[in-house]
């Protein structure tokens, strides 16, 4: 069981953009918005962060910080629910994919061989990004950083390579 610890109180005038009453109000809005108790500290931190970002950009402080923080907290609660629904939909899609008929070992072997041959026919630069993306499971940004090329180049190479592989698999009537 997780133990919720209270953060130490700061001295009045410290760099905290929310006072204790405003923080309690933000927590209440988040809780009433359906955010689980365990996620409330993160929500409060998000409100603080938005206030600090606003100040860093040079924007004027809200006229009523308490009201502004409550609106931001309400929006965060809605975002939390959207993210939860999105995760549920992804889970449902994954579950339905698992239920689809799995190809036989022979079909899998033919497909794997055709993909390997298709990869061999790709130019080195395209093969490299395909392997890093789909076999090493690296995100586009990491591939770009590792190879020292722009993200757009990685995306372009991936697009071209996948299109070529798809054409090859259709041509060979594997898919």
């Amino acid at each position: 069981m997780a133990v919720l610890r209270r953060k130490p109180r700061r001295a009045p005038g410290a760099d905290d953009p929310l006072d204790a009453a405003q923080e309690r109000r933000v927590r209440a809005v988040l809780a009433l918005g359906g955010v689980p108790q365990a996620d409330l500290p993160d929500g409060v931190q998000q409100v603080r962060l938005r206030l600090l970002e606003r100040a860093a950009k040079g924007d004027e402080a809200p006229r009523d910080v308490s009201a502004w923080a409550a609106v931001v907290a309400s929006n965060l609660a809605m975002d939390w629910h959207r993210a939860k629904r999105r995760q549920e939909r992804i889970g449902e899609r994954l579950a339905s994919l698992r239920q689809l008929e799995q190809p036989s070992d022979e079909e899998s072997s033919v497909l794997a061989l055709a993909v390997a041959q298709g990869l061999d026919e790709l130019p080195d630069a395209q093969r490299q990004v395909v392997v890093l993306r789909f076999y090493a499971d690296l995100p586009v940004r990491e591939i770009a950083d590792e190879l020292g090329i722009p993200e757009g180049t990685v995306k372009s190479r991936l697009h071209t390579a996948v299109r070529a592989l798809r054409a090859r698999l259709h041509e060979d009537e594997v898919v």
Side-chain angles (χ1 to χ4, degrees), residues 13-137:
D15 292 334
D16 193 346
L18 293 178
D19 64 27
Q22 292 164 337
E23 182 178 332
R24 283 191 303 274
R25 185 173 186 186
V26 166
R27 282 180 172 277
V29 169
L30 290 168
L32 290 171
V35 175
Q37 190 73 27
D39 291 339
L40 293 181
D42 290 338
V44 172
Q45 288 298 76
Q46 283 293 320
V47 173
R48 275 193 182 94
L49 179 63
R50 297 209 180 149
L51 268 170
L52 291 171
E53 286 172 342
R54 185 180 173 117
K57 287 193 293 187
D59 293 347
E60 242 181 73
R63 204 173 322 155
D64 183 351
V65 173
S66 187
W68 181 90
V71 169
V72 171
S74 177
N75 290 337
L76 287 171
M78 287 189 294
D79 291 346
W80 183 87
H81 285 288
R82 284 187 199 111
K84 182 179 175 192
R85 279 195 301 271
R86 191 176 316 114
Q87 285 300 107
E88 289 170 354
R89 285 193 307 269
I90 289 171
E92 290 168 3
R93 278 190 233 138
L94 287 173
S96 69
L97 288 174
R98 286 187 199 115
Q99 292 172 358
L100 293 176
E101 190 176 313
Q102 295 295 321
S104 70
D105 287 340
E106 183 180 326
E107 290 171 335
S108 293
S109 297
V110 169
L111 180 60
L113 181 61
V115 169
Q117 287 172 343
L119 280 172
D120 284 343
E121 293 174 3
L122 290 176
D124 290 341
Q126 290 178 7
R127 183 179 331 107
Q128 187 178 35
V129 295
V130 167
V131 169
L132 290 173
R133 178 67 188 103
F134 297 111
Y135 291 92
D137 200 29

